[in-house]
């Protein structure tokens, strides 16, 4: 484990929507940063902001025909920043941008903590497609196939892959055939929205205790589309009916930090250019900030 010298939080921005997207998800880091800065200042936390001009420039010149090359380049730059932040701060918040960021953030996390490290992926989707299996060709649906070593590319070399036994999915419900097959084959731990919302036998703390144990280092990747669009976050590109509550995300964060070290959180796919009306936009933003504040405070 890397030495933690400062009680501080690092904020890494991924202002990116690489992968055939025309929407405004790349604007989210800047939109969120102002509110987050206010939170950390109010609580007098030390904060370091990591902004990659390289990623911004790549995003600006993106061209779908070079989509793949740009995703890898952007995530190499992201990996470097996240790795630095993990080294320099006791907590790192990675704000996207789309979920292709998982490539850079998880890769940095695994390089910094190659042993005794686990990942919780909170999402409506499994993001486990390979380039060959993906029906859409969107990289934001593929990061975990690279992180687990199922798909590979020399343009994004990885020295450490995630062991599939160290991955748990929370909230997944909209899956492609290859993903269903792979999750079953590898027996990847999964918590469905129904378990969290309606199963009185299911206990979050018990789940975390069984899955993680004690004294481990944990990364959580939170895609806001994991939440139920009817009551929670609607400002996101690919909503799926059903879903969990933001309070479940906080409950997970709390349970993880009781006996383990949560070093980093991704917040991804919030898109404030989407939303039926002002009220939905406001709710999406407020709920996201509430989870971020909880992570900063825990
Ligand atoms: Mn996702």
């Amino acid at each position: 484990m890397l030495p933690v010298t400062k009680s501080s939080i690092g904020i890494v921005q991924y202002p990116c929507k690489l992968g055939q997207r025309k929407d405004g998800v790349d604007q989210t880091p800047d939109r969120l940063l102002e509110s987050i800065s206010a939170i950390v200042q109010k609580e007098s936390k030390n904060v370091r902001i990591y902004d990659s001009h390289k990623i911004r420039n790549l995003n600006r010149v993106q061209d779908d025909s070079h989509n793949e090359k740009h995703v890898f380049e952007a995530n190499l730059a992201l990996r470097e920043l996240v790795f630095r932040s993990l080294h320099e701060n006791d907590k790192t918040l990675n704000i996207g941008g789309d979920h292709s960021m998982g490539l850079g953030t998880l890769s940095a996390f695994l390089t910094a903590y190659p042993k005794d490290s686990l990942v919780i992926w909170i999402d409506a989707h499994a993001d486990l497609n390979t380039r060959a299996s993906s029906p859409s060709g969107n990289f934001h649906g593929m990061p975990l196939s690279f992180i687990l070593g199922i798909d590979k590319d020399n343009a994004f070399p990885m020295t450490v892959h995630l062991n599939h036994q160290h991955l748990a999915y929370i909230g997944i419900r909209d899956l492609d055939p290859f993903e269903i097959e792979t999750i079953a084959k590898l027996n990847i731990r999964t918590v469905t929205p129904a378990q969290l919302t309606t199963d009185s036998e299911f206990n979050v703390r018990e789940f975390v205790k069984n899955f993680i144990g004690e004294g481990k280092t944990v990364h959580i990747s939170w895609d806001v589309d994991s939440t139920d669009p009817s009551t929670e976050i609607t400002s996101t590109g690919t909503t799926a009916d059903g879903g969990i509550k933001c309070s479940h995300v906080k409950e997970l964060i709390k349970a993880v930090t009781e006996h383990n070290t949560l070093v980093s959180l991704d917040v991804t796919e919030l898109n404030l250019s989407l939303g039926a009306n002002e009220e939905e936009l406001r709710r999406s933003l407020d709920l996201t900030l509430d989870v971020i504040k909880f992570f900063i405070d825990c």
Side-chain angles (χ1 to χ4, degrees):
M1 200 169 138
L2 294 168
V4 171
T5 48
K6 288 242 161 53
S7 170
S8 62
I9 176 153
I11 299 176
V12 185
Q13 293 186 286
Y14 183 70
C16 230
K17 55 167 183 197
L18 296 166
Q20 301 163 14
R21 294 184 70 151
K22 307 263 182 279
D23 60 27
V25 73
D26 54 326
Q27 306 298 320
T28 308
D30 285 340
R31 296 280 305 271
L32 276 183
L33 191 62
E34 207 176 317
S35 312
I36 298 168
S37 299
I39 295 171
V40 288
Q41 257 165 28
K42 208 168 142 199
E43 305 188 358
S44 1
K45 305 253 183 203
N46 293 317
V47 60
R48 291 189 182 90
I49 294 161
Y50 301 79
D51 175 42
S52 177
H53 300 292
K54 210 166 165 181
I55 296 175
R56 280 185 200 273
N57 288 339
L58 276 168
N59 198 39
R60 208 166 292 136
V61 299
Q62 74 161 315
D63 171 347
D64 282 348
S65 62
H66 296 102
N67 174 5
E68 201 172 289
K69 183 172 164 266
H70 284 180
V71 172
F72 292 132
E73 275 182 33
N75 276 279
L76 286 175
L78 178 66
R79 176 162 77 184
E80 214 176 294
L81 292 179
V82 176
F83 185 79
R84 207 193 320 152
S85 177
L86 289 169
H87 192 73
E88 293 174 348
N89 308 288
D90 54 356
K91 237 181 242 182
T92 296
L93 172 69
N94 306 311
I95 42 174
D98 77 30
H99 220 165
S100 63
M101 75 187 292
L103 203 54
T105 62
L106 267 73
S107 182
F109 168 71
L110 293 167
T111 311
Y113 303 96
K115 287 206 174 81
D116 289 334
S117 43
L118 294 99
V119 171
I120 297 179
W121 194 271
I122 310 175
D123 203 322
H125 313 94
D127 295 352
L128 187 55
N129 272 303
T130 63
R131 283 166 292 184
S133 77
S134 170
S136 68
N138 286 330
F139 259 85
H140 56 90
M142 302 183 206
L144 280 174
S145 73
F146 289 92
I147 294 299
L148 293 170
I150 299 169
D151 202 347
K152 285 184 183 171
D153 199 291
N154 289 336
F156 193 82
M158 289 183 64
T159 50
V160 192
H161 285 98
L162 180 65
N163 180 328
H164 59 83
Q165 292 171 323
H166 296 165
L167 168 68
Y169 279 122
I170 312 283
I172 54 170
R173 57 195 180 277
D174 183 7
L175 308 174
D176 295 320
F178 174 81
E179 297 178 313
I180 295 171
E181 207 177 287
T182 308
I183 289 167
K185 194 172 79 189
L186 299 177
N187 200 16
I188 299 175
R189 224 172 280 228
T190 298
V191 178
T192 63
Q195 279 174 285
L196 282 168
T197 53
T198 55
D199 183 356
S200 57
E201 300 284 296
F202 185 82
N203 181 300
V204 169
R205 288 177 73 186
E206 278 300 304
F207 164 76
V208 166
K209 200 172 137 195
N210 290 333
F211 169 53
I212 304 180
E214 290 186 7
K216 308 281 173 55
T217 309
V218 181
H219 171 85
I220 295 181
S221 198
W222 178 44
D223 189 321
V224 301
D225 70 24
S226 57
T227 68
D228 186 341
S230 71
T231 58
E232 308 280 309
I233 295 169
T234 40
S235 298
T236 182
T238 43
T239 54
D241 286 345
I244 65 171
K245 293 190 177 304
C246 288
S247 60
H248 293 127
V249 180
K250 295 198 284 181
E251 207 180 333
L252 275 156
I253 290 174
K254 187 169 191 291
V256 168
T257 53
E258 273 175 359
H259 301 289
N260 297 279
T261 312
L262 176 62
V263 291
S264 42
L265 172 74
D266 300 337
V267 176
T268 179
E269 298 286 357
L270 177 71
N271 186 342
L272 296 167
S273 66
L274 304 172
N277 51 49
E278 257 326 294
E279 196 194 321
E280 281 192 5
L281 278 174
R282 172 52 54 187
R283 188 180 71 199
S284 296
L285 178 61
D286 286 351
L287 285 169
T288 304
L289 285 169
D290 187 50
V291 170
I292 289 173
K293 187 176 184 310
F294 193 85
F295 168 70
I296 291 170
D297 289 341
C298 73

